Amino acid sequence: MKILACSIRGGDVCATILAEKEDCMCLGGGHAAVEGCIHRFAGEKGLPSLALARVTRMQETADGGIEFDFDAAVPPRVKLGKYLGLEVYVPADESPDLPVLRAAAETLEADIPETYISRKIDGLVRQRLEDVAQRPGFNTLSDMVAVLRASSAELGLSYDDNALWDMAVAVSDELNAGNMRARSAHEITELLASALYPGGGGDRAFAVIERALEDRAAQKRAESMETIAEESFASYLRMAGKSMAELRGEFRPLAEELVRIDLLIDEVAVRENITLSDDEFDAALETIASMYELPPAEVLGMIGAATLRAQLIRDKARAMIVDSADTF
């Protein structure tokens, strides 16, 4: 292994590593070699086991090695304040979990690496994307923008992108006001033609728009669900008048709070020596399997025994903190 570049700042780590051919052969292939080299890197730099390691680039070299970039974080040292027996006000319509955990996390002391915050923001953005992907309005909007953009270009119209977005919003609102699936292709074409040509566009405009609709439908059939969701999310950001950077900035306070709660729960699990019996593990696995109507072995193959056990221990630590609180 060779360390080609390295930066360690405030607990945030990024590096470029060369896993040489011998590493790949000894460690059993590409991914195993990468994981092994990250572990060796931490040892050579005198770091504890790294957290949140993420490979951002992998490239095979001519001699059979692998050059890769990764970033990660050094787990922070955590000093707990009071976390059991807290007195916490909880609104009548709320579960006590979050208010109690927030109160306990406020007393926690830790220098939290930026990587922890960034990863949590990534997760919040993914949750928002998944939520948006379930809303048909944003899917319709991305379709209408694509069709209007293609039609305008072919017809030689001089609309800028802002104008096309405004048209797409108006058309989408009209379509979403009723049952879009009940609209015929001709009705949708008429709406788009009226947007591009308020006074009527003639047969050529109709033909161009119809073809653009067909092309868009074919494109969607070939796209992955992830791509379609990203297109809907782009429409959401446009409608919200936000950039991705602005959205991430809005999520930052919540991300910081959630990271502190995560660190609290993990540290409590260690301090309180919380364990999980085999019977508890099996019962939890059965419950999850029943919920998803899958065989327990299949669920275990998807989650992994170590991951599930760690989460169940965290759940017990979380319950210990919440159940001990005096809420009013």
Side-chain angles (χ1 to χ4, degrees):
M1 180 191 79
K2 292 182 180 178
I3 301 173
L4 304 180
C6 172
S7 172
I8 304 173
R9 296 179 181 175
D12 298 298
V13 178
C14 59
T16 300
I17 305 293
L18 174 62
E20 298 178 283
K21 180 179 180 180
E22 293 76 12
D23 298 313
C24 296
M25 293 176 64
C26 293
L27 294 172
H31 290 287
V34 167
E35 291 178 6
C37 286
I38 291 175
H39 180 73
R40 284 176 56 191
F41 166 87
E44 289 189 14
K45 294 297 180 180
L47 302 173
S49 296
L50 296 175
L52 307 177
R54 177 181 64 182
V55 175
T56 56
R57 180 184 66 90
M58 284 181 63
Q59 181 178 349
E60 291 188 13
T61 61
D63 60 356
I66 297 174
E67 183 179 308
F68 66 94
D69 300 332
F70 82 94
D71 51 48
V74 178
R77 293 184 177 182
V78 175
K79 181 178 179 181
L80 292 174
K82 184 176 181 181
Y83 59 89
L84 295 178
L86 297 170
E87 294 183 359
V88 181
Y89 168 72
V90 179
D93 59 345
E94 282 190 27
S95 163
D97 288 43
L98 191 54
V100 171
L101 292 169
R102 279 174 171 160
E106 285 178 0
T107 66
L108 176 145
E109 296 180 21
D111 292 326
I112 302 173
E114 177 62 28
T115 299
Y116 275 77
I117 308 298
S118 179
R119 292 286 201 281
K120 186 63 71 174
I121 293 174
D122 290 344
L124 293 170
V125 170
R126 281 195 300 273
Q127 288 177 15
R128 180 63 59 83
L129 185 151
E130 290 169 2
D131 177 56
V132 168
Q134 300 303 314
R135 304 183 193 179
F138 292 113
N139 193 9
T140 302
L141 180 56
S142 62
D143 288 341
M144 295 304 101
V145 168
V147 171
L148 285 168
R149 191 177 284 141
S151 300
S152 177
E154 185 169 346
L155 291 165
L157 302 176
S158 57
Y159 292 114
D160 62 21
D161 211 49
N162 287 329
L164 292 173
W165 270 95
D166 289 342
M167 293 178 196
V169 169
V171 172
S172 298
D173 286 347
E174 177 68 23
L175 292 173
N176 290 319
N179 183 355
M180 181 179 173
R181 293 187 177 181
R183 302 291 187 113
S184 67
H186 183 75
E187 287 177 306
I188 297 173
T189 302
E190 283 186 327
L191 284 171
L192 291 165
S194 297
L196 288 172
Y197 293 98
D203 291 342
R204 180 169 181 263
F206 268 64
V208 168
I209 294 168
E210 284 178 343
R211 186 163 59 252
L213 282 167
E214 292 170 358
D215 291 344
R216 177 62 177 172
Q219 178 188 358
K220 291 285 285 292
R221 287 192 294 271
E223 287 180 344
S224 66
M225 294 302 297
E226 290 79 7
T227 299
I228 293 172
E230 288 170 2
E231 290 174 347
S232 294
F233 197 55
S235 296
Y236 160 77
L237 290 174
R238 178 72 181 235
M239 287 294 294
K242 299 174 185 177
S243 66
M244 180 62 79
E246 289 170 332
L247 181 65
R248 292 180 67 85
E250 290 181 6
F251 278 139
R252 187 176 184 87
L254 175 58
E256 291 175 348
E257 181 178 72
L258 293 176
V259 167
R260 291 179 66 83
I261 289 173
D262 286 346
L263 293 173
L264 164 76
I265 291 171
D266 289 338
E267 189 66 18
V268 168
V270 173
R271 297 287 182 90
E272 298 291 342
N273 194 28
I274 295 176
T275 58
L276 190 77
S277 70
D278 290 341
D279 287 343
E280 289 174 315
F281 180 87
D282 292 342
L285 179 59
E286 287 288 347
T287 299
I288 296 171
S290 176
M291 183 186 307
Y292 291 99
E293 299 181 348
L294 292 171
E298 186 173 340
V299 172
L300 202 57
M302 294 167 61
I303 300 176
T307 299
L308 178 57
R309 183 172 291 275
Q311 184 56 53
L312 293 173
I313 289 174
R314 294 184 84 254
D315 290 345
K316 291 181 74 174
R318 179 189 186 103
M320 173 185 287
I321 299 167
V322 174
D323 293 345
S324 75
D326 181 11
T327 59
F328 60 94

